[in-house]
Amino acid sequence: MDRKRIIRNLIVCVLFFLTFRFGILPIITGQELEKRIRKTSFSRNDNEYGLVVFGTEPEGIAAALSAARIGIETLVVTEDPDPGSYIKSAMITYTSPDYAVINKKKTNLNTGIYTELFGDTGGNFSYEDYIVTVRQMLEEEPNITVLYNAEFLSAETEANVVKSVSFRHDGMTETIKAPYFIDATENGDLLILCGVPYFVGSEDINVPNAFMPVEFNFVLSNVSWDDVQSISKHSQNLQDFKEVLSQYQKHSSRIRISNISIIGQPNDEVVISGIRVHQVNVANKELLNEAFNDALTEAKMLTAFLKTAFVPFENCSFKTGPAGFYIPEYRHFEGRYTLTIEDILENRNFPTKIVMATGPIDADKFISAELSEEYTYILGNPVVYSIPLECFISKNYDNLLMAGRKASFSSLAATSAGRMPVSITAGHALGVTAAYCYINDVTPVELCNADENVLEDYQKLLKRSGITLMDFDEKNPNEGHWAWPSVKELVKYGLVAGGPDNDYLFDVEAYQENLVTLIINLIVKAAPEKYSLKLDSRIRPYATENLLTGEKACEIVLKALDIPFEPGNACVTAKENNIIPDEIAGKITPESPVTMDCVYVLTTRVVDLLKQ
């Protein structure tokens, strides 16, 4: 018995050694990748690199590091004097990774380089320490070259390929060639040079000059940080703090001060975060500067209030504001696929996924700053979803990738998919993608269209680099409801909100104004050519707080479609004209109240008929 056990253990040891030596070792050390790189590498000139990353935003840093660590000679070019990017200019001092419950297990979706930058759980950090850390990481990576204070000039393209990019650096004009480029700039500077199409704000849903609220952070000095922490540790003290803060009178009606955060910094300084300015057209520099001055005034007034209202701030003073707003939304560039709200809410598991995410879809840009500070407008909340590589490949160039919130997402989908943790992990994945394509001599577009075996090999490399990636099958709780297709259409345009719990109030009795408001707004956003003041005037008088009955619902629908009917006979007329969909025909009777699920279906039905 002992002899057999000894022999069996020896066999296991031999097998383990062989597996480790010839299977696991190349994965750990990158020897197999190095072999492939040597096979495919060209004789590099000073102006040639395997990958060029434009911008030192965190997602660009992640892309450069991940590609360089695989062995790709990587150039980082930025207009900034250091790698601080919007972390520095907007004084960002807090981040938190996404967590999702997948197969009953809580999973951190932002690992790898995100963890190296911010730790396993994110949290508070100093933007000055962040710059030092990033600079050191870049300097210690032998395959990375960084050029600061550059000025982007032009791009040379041929057919569907970017061949080279020119910029001015140290008084000289340089032209750099590479097989792959990544635009990680905040506003898509390289994408603009290459003529990649885009829209701004909410233009994709026919709402011009509508952007997510901009954020203003500022620094206070001489704050008793120990006392601040004492307040945060006791729920009653924290509640008292919130109640006193609610008494603050705002200077500007466009500003909301909600969920204020106090982030400790070295030398008894704190960063105050939570000032959000609504209805700012970020595409207009003059209006943006005007909003910035309003926010600066607000910050100084808030400082004076804190100084008199709370002991930890009694000796504080306003030290400085940011160089600029944090702007969560500006340009949205077109890729090979545009991520939609439906993809997010239905927890889509794409075969070409490179990053996983969770997080609510926020339509805060459509609400007034004068509403309660606690009011939110969450369209829906996914369990977990994935974003495919196609969203990050520019529409007209096979070798030009785009990182960050400007990637190919619908404007509302970007409020979830474009958040900083997701962008950093996606940037990490794009660096690995460029390396994989370089090694295998393919374009990202060809990789998207590859067979299952190639995609599996590619995604294994993503995982080995530290990215959390797995298959999942999660359902939206409303998928089985007959009104769900209509809800998805309305959510697409930001017209109905399910909140964090995805509760669309299907069974709640509706008011007349609910149906009228939804019809008018869906026409304006989904079929603007069908909207007219005449149509508006036909149904606007029905917008009252009276309960909606089947008869009144049919009157509103018929008026919107300009179909005549006899008074008291609207239900019959609507059904005779096949206007009422089959799924709700039995639920619409003249005197019975109409619930919101029927309102959703009637709204989309009206617009569908107008489009015909």
Side-chain angles (χ1 to χ4, degrees), residues 18 124 194 203 231 281 320 327 409 465 479 482 500 504 600:
L18 291 173
N124 301 341
C194 294
E203 287 179 346
I231 291 175
N281 182 355
T320 184
I327 301 176
F409 315 137
S465 75
E479 265 187 62
W482 48 266
Y504 295 95
Y600 300 146

Side-chain angles (χ1 to χ4, degrees), residues 429-478:
L430 292 179
V432 174
T433 301
Y436 184 91
C437 290
Y438 180 84
I439 294 164
N440 292 281
D441 195 23
V442 296
T443 67
V445 173
E446 291 169 333
L447 179 56
C448 290
N449 297 323
D451 62 38
E452 291 183 8
N453 292 331
V454 172
L455 288 175
E456 183 180 357
D457 182 53
Y458 161 60
Q459 289 176 337
K460 281 181 179 178
L461 182 59
L462 291 173
K463 295 175 188 177
R464 289 201 294 269
S465 75
I467 293 174
T468 298
L469 213 59
M470 64 185 72
D471 287 326
F472 55 89
D473 183 16
E474 300 290 343
K475 304 295 183 184
N476 184 290
N478 299 301

Side-chain angles (χ1 to χ4, degrees), residues 102-178:
I102 305 172
N103 300 323
K104 300 181 179 180
K105 182 181 178 182
K106 187 177 181 181
T107 304
N108 185 343
L109 303 182
N110 302 116
T111 49
I113 292 174
Y114 175 89
T115 299
E116 294 180 44
L117 293 172
F118 303 109
D120 291 332
T121 59
N124 301 341
F125 62 91
S126 161
Y127 58 86
E128 293 175 343
D129 290 344
Y130 167 83
I131 295 172
V132 171
T133 299
V134 171
R135 189 187 291 274
Q136 183 177 351
M137 292 172 73
L138 293 172
E139 289 175 351
E140 291 178 351
E141 177 50 61
N143 291 321
I144 289 181
T145 302
V146 184
L147 299 180
Y148 297 105
N149 297 306
E151 179 188 356
F152 306 149
L153 297 176
S154 62
E156 179 194 359
T157 62
E158 183 180 301
N160 58 342
V161 173
V162 178
K163 305 292 287 186
S164 66
V165 175
S166 298
F167 53 87
R168 184 173 293 279
H169 180 256
D170 284 345
M172 303 280 291
T173 298
E174 298 188 36
T175 299
I176 298 295
K177 297 179 180 179

